[in-house]
Amino acid sequence: MINTINTNSKISHQTSQVYTSTPEPRNSLPTISVRQPLPHDIVDNPIRVCGIATGFEDIIHLRVRDNNGTKLFRNFLTVGGNGILANFSVGLPLKMVPATPQGTLEIFSISAANGSETNQVVVPIVFGNALLLRYFGFYQYTVIPGDTLFAIAQQVYGDGRLSPRILEANRHQINRPDQIYPGLVLRVPVSKF
């Protein structure tokens, strides 16, 4: 007997009908869905990761790399199996400060057929501790006419030469310091002390 839910009513019942294949509904979820961090989030150390997933033999793999391709973290996690999507939440400790502020979180399954990486989800991230020591968080700064990254850094950090950390925190929006404009909301990273 298979437990099913009749979508036309709210009553759960048992049926003797056996399905030979499982059709995928149009609105089905992917096998791995990352809820945190979101793309381009500034992350702490450890990196907090959560989402839902199912994996071959209940396993998914997690990897963190900087933009040079250096592997900063690699491990696996037990999640749902056989198509069951289960919640996961884990902290990924980095043992070193990344060489680049930008990097990626990669979550994937390993194929039973050939050992290749499948169902890969790649989330671009920004390493807070690569921006400044003792990274704590950021505040949002709305650019006004006449602002420059140098002037914002001078105002926030007392040293305009620290403007590259603001640029690196906002690479998902701007690639050069002269690309800011009034109304643009920038993330300005700050430390604990």
Side-chain angles (χ1 to χ4, degrees):
M1 294 291 211
I2 298 174
N3 285 331
T4 63
I5 297 175
N6 182 342
T7 57
N8 296 326
S9 70
K10 294 183 180 177
I11 301 171
S12 232
H13 65 279
Q14 290 189 347
T15 180
S16 60
Q17 186 175 6
V18 176
Y19 298 99
T20 55
S21 66
T22 306
E24 273 219 33
R26 287 186 177 187
N27 295 328
S28 68
L29 294 170
T31 57
I32 299 171
S33 179
V34 178
R35 307 288 171 89
Q36 179 186 338
L38 295 175
H40 308 288
D41 272 355
I42 302 175
V43 297
D44 295 322
N45 187 8
I47 301 170
R48 297 297 310 163
V49 179
C50 69
I52 57 174
T54 184
F56 173 65
E57 294 185 347
D58 307 341
I59 301 292
I60 58 172
H61 297 261
L62 302 104
R63 180 172 52 220
V64 176
R65 297 185 209 213
D66 67 15
N67 266 7
N68 293 335
T70 303
K71 215 180 296 178
L72 304 169
F73 181 89
R74 168 86 191 250
N75 212 333
F76 65 91
L77 183 65
T78 302
V79 293
N82 299 322
I84 297 171
L85 292 164
N87 289 311
F88 67 88
S89 178
V90 64
L92 311 180
L94 305 182
K95 294 183 180 184
M96 59 191 277
V97 174
T100 65
Q102 284 76 31
T104 55
L105 164 67
E106 303 163 6
I107 303 180
F108 54 93
S109 297
I110 299 292
S111 168
N114 60 16
S116 66
E117 296 177 5
T118 63
N119 304 317
Q120 188 175 49
V121 176
V122 176
V123 181
I125 55 177
V126 179
F127 301 108
N129 61 350
L131 296 173
L132 71 162
L133 293 175
R134 297 180 306 275
Y135 170 78
F136 178 71
F138 64 90
Y139 71 87
Q140 296 179 316
Y141 179 90
T142 304
V143 176
I144 60 173
D147 268 344
T148 63
L149 287 186
F150 187 91
I152 296 168
Q154 182 67 42
Q155 177 185 345
V156 174
Y157 306 121
D159 186 349
R161 294 172 296 173
L162 297 177
S163 63
R165 76 172 51 149
I166 301 172
L167 176 64
E168 295 299 335
N170 293 281
R171 284 269 186 207
H172 63 293
Q173 302 184 94
I174 57 175
N175 288 314
R176 297 185 326 264
D178 63 348
Q179 289 181 316
I180 67 170
Y181 53 87
L184 177 65
V185 179
L186 296 172
R187 300 181 302 193
V188 179
V190 295
S191 63
K192 290 182 183 179
F193 307 103

